């Protein structure tokens, strides 16, 4: 299996992991804002003593309008979760990344699975299986936006796709 195929698989794996992380973070932030908003409204509605301590010209706004505005904010935040589906998107991208990783690991075993020319038929069949698996993963995987591809370059510069332990050991000793 050539380095181009391993690179393709590794890049897709990284992009999907980055995308999954971003969606999980967005989902987490949305849940935090939603939870805080609900807490504020409950506290506000339960603290009737606060309304009475305000000057009369503020009581209408703080006592009646502000709870309605805050309730509308919570309603909007509540609808954003199911609408944006960040949690679901994170799961799909993580699943795709895991499938690419499994394929990447299988491709690394190419030399041990087919060590010499006597295994040509097995090598051809393995290559076909890898190609079919790549096509299947590509069909099932969500699309990757350009910002996630940009992150791949940063991860690669850090050595994110270089997992050759022997090569790293050679570099340490030289």
């Amino acid at each position: 299996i050539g380095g181009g195929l391993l690179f393709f698989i590794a890049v897709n794996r990284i992009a999907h992991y980055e995308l999954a992380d971003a969606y999980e973070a967005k989902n987490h932030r949305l849940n935090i804002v939603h939870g805080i908003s609900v807490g504020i409204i409950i506290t506000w509605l339960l603290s009737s003593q606060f309304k009475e301590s305000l000057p009369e010209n503020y009581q209408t706004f703080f006592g009646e309008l502000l709870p309605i505005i805050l309730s509308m904010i919570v309603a909007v935040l509540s609808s954003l979760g199911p609408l944006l589906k960040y949690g679901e998107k994170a799961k799909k991208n993580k699943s795709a990344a895991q499938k690419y990783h499994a394929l990447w690991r299988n491709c690394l075993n190419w030399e041990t699975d087919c060590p010499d020319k006597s295994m040509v038929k097995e090598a051809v069949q393995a290559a076909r299986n890898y190609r079919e698996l790549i096509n299947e993963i590509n069909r099932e995987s969500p699309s990757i936006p350009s910002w996630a591809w940009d992150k791949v370059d940063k991860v690669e510069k850090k050595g994110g796709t270089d997992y050759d332990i022997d090569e790293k050991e050679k570099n340490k000793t030289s």
Side-chain angles (χ1 to χ4, degrees), residues 32-97:
I32 287 173
V33 171
H34 180 258
I36 290 171
S37 300
V38 168
I40 289 172
I41 287 181
I42 290 172
T43 303
W44 191 271
L45 294 175
L46 294 177
S47 63
S48 59
Q49 296 169 348
F50 174 74
K51 295 176 220 169
E52 296 168 0
S53 67
L54 292 171
E56 196 165 313
N57 54 344
Y58 291 113
Q59 284 184 3
T60 302
F61 177 75
F62 284 101
E64 296 173 17
L65 295 177
L66 190 58
I68 292 171
I69 292 169
L70 290 174
S71 296
M72 291 173 68
I73 291 171
V74 168
V76 168
L77 289 172
S78 296
S79 66
L80 283 179
L83 181 68
L84 297 174
K85 299 179 183 178
Y86 287 138
E88 183 180 321
K89 290 177 182 179
K91 286 179 187 176
K92 285 182 180 180
N93 280 285
K94 192 170 189 175
S95 173

Side-chain angles (χ1 to χ4, degrees), residues 35-166:
I36 290 171
S37 300
V38 168
I40 289 172
I41 287 181
I42 290 172
T43 303
W44 191 271
L45 294 175
L46 294 177
S47 63
S48 59
Q49 296 169 348
F50 174 74
K51 295 176 220 169
E52 296 168 0
S53 67
L54 292 171
E56 196 165 313
N57 54 344
Y58 291 113
Q59 284 184 3
T60 302
F61 177 75
F62 284 101
E64 296 173 17
L65 295 177
L66 190 58
I68 292 171
I69 292 169
L70 290 174
S71 296
M72 291 173 68
I73 291 171
V74 168
V76 168
L77 289 172
S78 296
S79 66
L80 283 179
L83 181 68
L84 297 174
K85 299 179 183 178
Y86 287 138
E88 183 180 321
K89 290 177 182 179
K91 286 179 187 176
K92 285 182 180 180
N93 280 285
K94 192 170 189 175
S95 173
Q98 289 169 339
K99 289 176 184 177
Y100 278 115
H101 183 73
L103 177 60
W104 179 79
R105 295 293 302 164
N106 286 339
C107 289
L108 287 180
N109 293 328
W110 177 262
E111 290 177 7
T112 57
D113 292 344
C114 304
D116 56 39
K117 294 180 182 181
S118 68
M119 314 249 339
V120 171
K121 288 183 181 180
E122 290 85 355
V124 169
Q125 186 57 45
R128 286 181 181 148
N129 291 343
Y130 292 152
R131 185 175 58 230
E132 289 173 15
L133 191 53
I134 287 172
N135 289 338
E136 183 181 326
I137 295 170
N138 286 340
R139 274 191 304 275
E140 293 173 357
S141 298
S143 59
I144 300 172
S146 60
W147 63 264
W149 288 119
D150 294 340
K151 284 193 164 209
V152 169
D153 291 335
K154 294 175 187 172
V155 173
E156 284 177 352
K157 287 178 184 172
K158 292 179 185 176
T161 60
D162 183 17
Y163 296 103
D164 188 348
I165 295 168
D166 296 331

